[in-house]
Amino acid sequence: MAKIGITETVLRDAHQSLFATRMTMDDMLPILGEMDKVGYHSVEAWGGATFDACIRFLDEDPWDRLRTIKKHMPNTPIQMLYRGQNCLGYRHYADDVVEYFVEKSVANGIDVIRIFDALNDIRNLQASIRATKRQNAHLQACISYTTSPVHNIPYFVQYAKELENEGADSICIKDMAGLLTPYTVYDLVKALKENVKIPIQLHSHYTSGLASMVLLKGIEAGADVIDTAISPLALGTSHAPTESMVAALAGTEYDTGLDLNQLNKVREYFAKIRTKYIENGMISPKVLGVDANTLLYQVPGGMISNLISQLKQAGKEDKFEEVLQEIPRVRKDAGYPPLVTPTSQIVGTQAVFNVIGGERYKMVTKEFKGLVRGEYGRTPVEIEPDFVKKIIGDDERITCRPADLIEPELDKLRAECADYMQQEEDVLTYAQFGQVAVKFFENRRNKQLHIDGEHVDTQNKVHPL
């Protein structure tokens, strides 16, 4: 059997799960060279919420971040998480935006594009798949794993076959909430390996305390690659520790071939980063431990830190448990969507409103109405007609591929942000985040004017003879 590949998540999902995607490029840069020597199958370094956090909170250009990472890790495939028709934003975009985003991601350094749809609606992946294949990048398509009355092994096997037929190069079982159990994953991976001919990768968060066992049983069933996080940013709502899994597999037929001494250099560096973020209050104790309640509430790791943040802003942090209990009820009402971006935010925010508003659905978010209306695609279970009526009234529901209703928008977006564009990629930043992007562009311009002004002053100084 081939060696098991390791995808390191520390530059994206690990810090997204533990401290809301706030790691800066300055914190990453010094260790990239050592990470590049490890021999990872890939390093997940971009996509997900990194793009949003860069421009909204960190005042960093996400495209610069990608180029910098690629420059310092030339020997390691760089991987991103991409939300299909949502790109990296929170609505569906026209196909021309989706295709251009993929083109520019690959041009700036992405080697592996891991795409998923929150509803497992394959129609929402088709444009991304076509675009990725055109760019000759590796297309990894995800099964968004969840449990419900309809989510079972035959359901996931059928979806995997569809993904393979659409052109996926590999399939990732994306267990964003840590819901997989060891023997369930064994049966699932075994069934997938019997039915599809492409590699299977396994991604499972540690939230419920099961991820290491899940990865091991998945490997025994035939999984080819696993996702892990270097130990200082592992466990809790993050992933199984990289070094622990490498050690567990060493000397077996599944040996990863990775050197624990080299990994220790990476570990020592991120131990300091962890201490820094704990000391500045960015890491909440709530995300560091095991919470088996996730098996009941199905809340993904990245969502927990965001829920805590939402409640803190509303001065209602004491309502956290109530919100966790409300989430599965909202999810059932909405047709059992898997909870992953953007459905996790949509369902989670609606649950927050239901709890702090004192009455369920007294206040309904625009996004939740969109989910019920069909703007995000087909839900796994048909939503009850009475509930649909309650949420959207007499509005007509969408039953086609939602993106078929969106006119090409790239030229329009270019015109809208023309005054701010300094690189071709800026239109994509603007497309995803609108006014947040504009504020980022204005800050960038002001910084440049300030620097240029200082430069002029320096040049005009009169130096004494």
Side-chain angles (χ1 to χ4, degrees):
M1 180 173 180
K3 289 181 176 181
I4 297 300
I6 298 283
T7 291
E8 173 61 63
T9 65
V10 70
L11 300 184
R12 204 285 296 178
D13 202 8
H15 72 103
Q16 179 171 325
S17 296
L18 293 181
F19 46 102
T21 332
R22 297 297 197 276
M23 197 191 300
T24 65
M25 192 64 237
D26 287 345
D27 285 335
M28 298 176 190
L29 193 55
I31 196 61
L32 296 181
E34 294 299 335
M35 289 181 69
D36 196 40
K37 297 174 187 173
V38 170
Y40 294 114
H41 173 79
S42 64
V43 167
E44 191 196 48
W46 210 60
T50 58
F51 206 101
D52 190 348
C54 276
I55 65 168
R56 193 185 299 266
F57 302 113
L58 304 178
D59 198 25
E60 288 184 21
D61 186 325
W63 298 99
D64 280 347
R65 174 179 287 202
L66 173 55
R67 290 186 285 261
T68 302
I69 290 170
K70 188 62 184 176
K71 178 183 174 185
H72 289 85
M73 299 186 73
N75 304 304
T76 305
I78 304 301
Q79 181 170 315
M80 75 175 291
L81 183 67
Y82 192 66
R83 297 195 279 267
Q85 211 70 33
N86 289 150
C87 301
L88 300 179
Y90 302 101
R91 69 167 175 91
H92 275 198
Y93 296 90
D95 288 347
D96 61 347
V97 172
V98 171
E99 290 162 6
Y100 194 54
F101 205 110
V102 169
E103 178 187 328
K104 286 299 177 186
S105 297
V106 175
N108 281 279
I110 291 296
D111 303 288
V112 180
I113 299 187
R114 174 183 286 178
I115 64 166
F116 74 95
D117 179 63
L119 299 176
N120 289 324
D121 185 344
I122 198 163
R123 300 173 304 171
N124 294 332
L125 300 181
Q126 287 163 338
S128 304
I129 291 172
R130 286 195 306 269
T132 305
K133 301 301 279 187
R134 269 200 300 275
Q135 299 304 319
N136 294 316
H138 181 100
L139 187 282
Q140 184 172 89
C142 291
I143 293 168
S144 295
Y145 182 80
T146 190
T147 58
S148 82
V150 298
H151 291 96
N152 52 30
I153 288 176
Y155 170 95
F156 292 125
V157 166
Q158 179 57 37
Y159 188 51
K161 286 179 177 175
E162 292 173 16
L163 294 171
E164 184 180 35
N165 290 338
E166 286 286 342
D169 297 306
S170 62
I171 286 174
C172 175
I173 302 169
K174 182 175 169 58
D175 178 24
M176 54 278 174
L179 300 177
L180 275 170
T181 58
Y183 291 98
T184 300
V185 79
Y186 185 90
D187 292 342
L188 175 56
V189 172
K190 198 163 182 299
L192 291 175
K193 293 297 283 187
E194 288 168 357
N195 285 278
V196 298
K197 305 300 179 206
I198 53 179
I200 303 295
Q201 185 153 347
L202 194 48
H203 168 104
S204 185
H205 285 257
Y206 216 93
T207 320
S208 63
L210 297 173
S212 294
M213 292 180 276
V214 162
L215 296 182
L216 197 57
K217 291 302 288 184
I219 288 166
E220 289 176 357
D224 303 281
V225 185
I226 59 172
D227 284 14
T228 60
I230 202 74
S231 58
L233 267 69
L235 306 177
T237 53
S238 181
H239 296 266
T242 304
E243 312 95 299
S244 304
M245 292 306 302
V246 168
L249 300 171
T252 73
E253 62 184 301
Y254 310 115
D255 196 318
T256 64
L258 301 190
D259 179 2
L260 283 170
N261 291 314
Q262 183 62 26
L263 284 170
N264 192 48
K265 295 177 185 177
V266 182
R267 183 203 65 79
E268 286 179 344
Y269 180 80
F270 280 107
K272 295 172 191 163
I273 297 297
R274 174 192 167 97
T275 300
K276 170 182 168 179
Y277 282 91
I278 285 178
E279 287 175 350
N280 69 17
M282 285 299 299
I283 300 182
S284 165
K286 281 190 173 77
V287 302
L288 294 177
V290 165
D291 184 1
N293 275 341
T294 191
L295 298 169
L296 302 174
Y297 305 143
Q298 307 202 355
V299 179
M303 183 180 168
I304 287 177
S305 52
N306 287 328
L307 278 179
I308 292 167
S309 175
Q310 271 185 318
L311 289 168
K312 201 180 274 185
Q313 286 169 15
K316 302 277 187 180
E317 207 173 352
D318 60 317
K319 300 283 188 184
F320 182 64
E321 285 297 324
E322 281 182 59
V323 170
L324 285 183
Q325 291 166 24
E326 175 64 3
I327 284 169
R329 294 193 286 263
V330 174
R331 180 172 174 254
K332 180 183 178 185
D333 292 340
Y336 288 106
L339 293 184
V340 63
T341 305
T343 52
S344 53
Q345 285 87 341
I346 294 168
V347 169
T349 301
Q350 188 58 51
V352 168
F353 282 5
N354 285 1
V355 168
I356 65 179
E359 181 187 329
R360 301 187 77 223
Y361 305 111
K362 179 181 179 182
M363 188 170 158
V364 180
T365 69
K366 173 174 157 252
E367 291 77 15
F368 190 76
K369 286 179 181 175
L371 177 63
V372 172
R373 185 169 170 254
E375 288 173 19
Y376 296 89
R378 190 169 41 226
T379 55
V381 172
E382 185 59 35
I383 303 171
E384 290 289 335
D386 288 349
F387 186 74
V388 172
K389 177 91 171 165
K390 177 178 181 176
I391 300 301
I392 67 168
D394 294 327
D395 283 2
E396 190 178 345
R397 294 191 76 200
I398 295 169
T399 56
C400 63
R401 183 183 82 113
D404 286 341
L405 303 175
I406 307 172
E407 294 290 328
E409 54 183 332
L410 198 52
D411 289 344
K412 175 174 165 283
L413 290 163
R414 275 201 186 96
E416 288 176 9
C417 70
D419 290 347
Y420 297 103
M421 282 185 65
Q422 295 183 7
Q423 58 182 347
E424 291 176 357
E425 293 81 0
D426 285 343
V427 67
L428 294 164
T429 305
Y430 174 74
Q432 309 298 300
F433 298 107
Q435 288 309 303
V436 174
V438 167
K439 186 178 176 186
F440 168 75
F441 295 149
E442 287 173 344
N443 288 342
R444 179 176 67 183
R445 179 184 287 170
N446 290 338
K447 275 196 294 187
Q448 287 166 346
L449 287 171
H450 178 69
I451 291 166
D452 289 346
E454 286 186 348
H455 180 68
V456 169
D457 288 343
T458 303
Q459 296 301 310
N460 289 339
K461 270 184 185 170
V462 178
H463 295 279
L465 294 172

